[in-house]
């Protein structure tokens, strides 16, 4: 089982226990909001294809019917997309609260149902609790499902564009998807290093508190440990910053390669489309559809904040769900926190 799969499984498990019925509704709305844009693109292409016949023969007959059907499909698809987006936002907002509550319940059960106090004194367990508290402070638990909905719907839109481009050439969407995957990998690498940086920052903050908290500082001075505390703080702080500096240096080459791959892939696909259109192998309506699909493949790439917050929520879910098995406790039943 890969780390990514384990995190997605942990997140899905917490979300399912929070509210199974709402998760099913959420999934249906994500599918609708993610796949409808591809349908609208195809319907728009059909409308463009029908216009010349309408110009030549008028709205009467098969040409007019085809144009009206395409126009109705565009209107209905656009309206359905708007409705699905609104309902999805409402459903995600409710699940945000339910997910956060389930996270807190899972942590509380792990702490309260642990036999004895030895486990509670484990520094690793204390670090897990602090990670949850830090997630609350930094906003990871405020809108995890809302951010996830943005990631899933956007990825589905990219998948729809991928399928549409297969109608032009089998290699075209593969080339674009590979380039966007490379840019996405660079971004995810930087996100995956955030927890280790945060852990180092927590240790540095703790050592700093020893030096500035009156009671702790007094003890350090009495036992002559002030210099040691400052040295430890400096070492831990520099170690955390070193992770950031090394990652930025390592990412420079990947960033350059990703940008080059994006430029080359888009140039190749758009050039091939232009050549095919000039030779009459792709009609105007199809050209419009394929160009829209090329632009929409960007949904397979960087997503910015939704991607970052979702990655952090997935990491948190994994940490939370490992608390119970770590201390030999059975998993709760579905809906127990509802």
């Amino acid at each position: 089982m890969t780390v990514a799969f384990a995190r997605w499984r942990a997140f899905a498990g917490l979300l399912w226990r929070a509210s199974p019925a709402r998760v099913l509704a959420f999934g249906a709305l994500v599918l609708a909001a993610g796949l409808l844009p591809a349908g609208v693109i195809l319907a728009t292409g059909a409308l463009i294809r029908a216009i010349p016949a309408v110009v030549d023969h008028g709205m009467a007959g098969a040409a007019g019917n085809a144009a009206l059907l395409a126009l109705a499909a565009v209107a209905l698809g656009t309206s359905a997309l708007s409705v699905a987006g609104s309902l999805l936002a409402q459903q995600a907002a409710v699940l945000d609260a339910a997910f956060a509550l389930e996270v807190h319940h899972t942590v509380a059960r792990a702490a309260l149902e642990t036999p004895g106090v030895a486990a509670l004194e484990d520094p690793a367990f204390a670090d897990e609790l602090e990670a949850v508290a830090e997630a609350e402070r930094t906003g990871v638990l405020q809108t995890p499902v809302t951010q996830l909905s943005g990631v899933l719907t956007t990825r589905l839109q990219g998948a729809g564009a991928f399928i549409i481009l297969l109608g032009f050439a089998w290699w075209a969407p593969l080339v674009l998807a590979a380039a966007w995957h490379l840019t996405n990998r660079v971004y995810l690498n930087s996100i995956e290093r955030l927890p280790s940086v945060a852990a180092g920052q927590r240790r540095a903050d703790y050592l700093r508190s020893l030096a500035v908290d009156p009671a702790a500082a007094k003890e350090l001075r009495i036992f002559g440990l002030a210099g040691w505390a400052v040295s430890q703080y400096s070492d831990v702080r520099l170690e955390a910053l070193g992770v950031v500096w090394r990652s930025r240096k390592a990412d420079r080459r990947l960033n350059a390669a990703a940008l080059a791959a994006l430029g080359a892939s888009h140039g190749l696909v758009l050039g091939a489309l232009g050549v095919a259109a000039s030779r009459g192998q792709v009609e105007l309506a199809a050209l419009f559809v394929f160009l829209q699909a090329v632009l929409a493949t960007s949904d397979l790439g960087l997503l910015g904040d939704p991607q970052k917050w979702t990655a952090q929520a997935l990491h948190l879910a994994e940490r939370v769900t490992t608390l119970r098995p770590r201390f030999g406790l059975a998993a709760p039943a579905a809906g127990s926190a509802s």
Side-chain angles (χ1 to χ4, degrees):
M1 181 187 300
T2 64
V3 173
F5 179 77
R7 291 177 179 178
W8 278 104
R9 182 179 179 181
F11 189 98
L14 288 169
L15 196 59
W16 182 260
R17 290 202 302 269
S19 181
R22 290 190 178 278
V23 169
L24 293 176
F26 173 79
L29 290 169
V30 164
L31 286 174
L35 297 179
L36 277 172
V40 172
I41 290 176
L42 293 174
T44 304
L47 179 61
I48 295 174
R49 186 177 295 109
I51 289 176
V54 171
V55 173
D56 292 338
H57 306 290
M59 291 298 295
N65 291 335
L68 289 175
L69 285 175
L71 180 61
V74 171
L76 289 175
T78 304
S79 299
L81 182 60
S82 178
V83 172
S86 178
L87 292 176
L88 178 60
Q90 296 175 22
Q91 197 68 241
V94 175
L95 283 173
D96 283 332
F99 179 82
L101 184 60
E102 180 60 30
V103 168
H104 291 308
H105 281 185
T106 301
V107 174
R109 284 190 294 262
L112 298 177
E113 297 175 15
T114 299
V117 297
L120 299 179
E121 296 174 347
D122 184 351
F125 184 80
D127 189 57
E128 301 300 318
L129 296 182
E130 177 58 27
V132 176
E134 184 176 359
E136 189 98 57
R137 291 193 298 268
T138 57
V140 175
L141 279 178
Q142 289 182 2
T143 57
V145 184
T146 296
Q147 302 296 341
L148 175 65
S149 68
V151 171
L152 293 179
T153 54
T154 305
R155 290 293 185 238
L156 283 174
Q157 290 168 15
F162 183 98
I163 294 172
I164 289 174
L165 268 180
L166 288 173
F168 168 63
W170 66 266
W171 55 266
L174 292 176
V175 168
L176 292 172
W180 282 116
H181 176 73
L182 182 58
T183 63
N184 199 39
R185 189 66 261 169
V186 174
Y187 186 64
L188 286 177
N189 284 343
S190 64
I191 293 177
E192 288 170 357
R193 285 187 286 266
L194 289 177
S196 60
V197 174
Q201 183 61 52
R202 287 197 299 271
R203 291 194 297 270
D205 290 342
Y206 169 73
L207 291 169
R208 178 178 178 277
S209 69
L210 294 180
V212 299
D213 180 78
K218 180 180 178 180
E219 295 292 331
L220 289 176
R221 291 187 178 185
I222 290 176
F223 292 101
L225 297 175
W228 172 86
V230 172
S231 176
Q232 289 293 308
Y233 168 76
S234 177
D235 291 344
V236 172
R237 178 66 172 167
L238 287 175
E239 181 182 352
L241 290 175
V243 173
V244 177
W245 295 332
R246 288 191 298 272
S247 66
R248 288 178 178 175
K249 183 177 181 180
D251 287 344
R252 286 197 190 106
R253 293 179 181 177
L254 280 176
N255 279 325
L259 290 175
L262 278 178
S265 62
H266 280 74
L268 181 62
V269 174
L270 292 174
L273 270 173
V275 171
S278 67
R279 293 176 177 176
Q281 297 171 343
V282 176
E283 60 179 349
L284 178 61
L287 181 62
F288 169 83
V289 170
F290 292 143
L291 287 176
Q292 290 296 308
V294 169
L295 295 177
T297 57
S298 63
D299 291 333
L300 297 173
L302 301 178
L303 302 183
D305 285 344
Q307 191 173 10
K308 180 187 76 172
W309 291 114
T310 297
Q312 293 186 29
L314 291 174
H315 184 75
L316 175 66
E318 181 191 31
R319 301 183 74 167
V320 168
T321 53
T322 57
L323 287 176
R324 298 185 68 85
R326 180 183 302 175
F327 299 109
L329 300 173
S336 60
S338 301

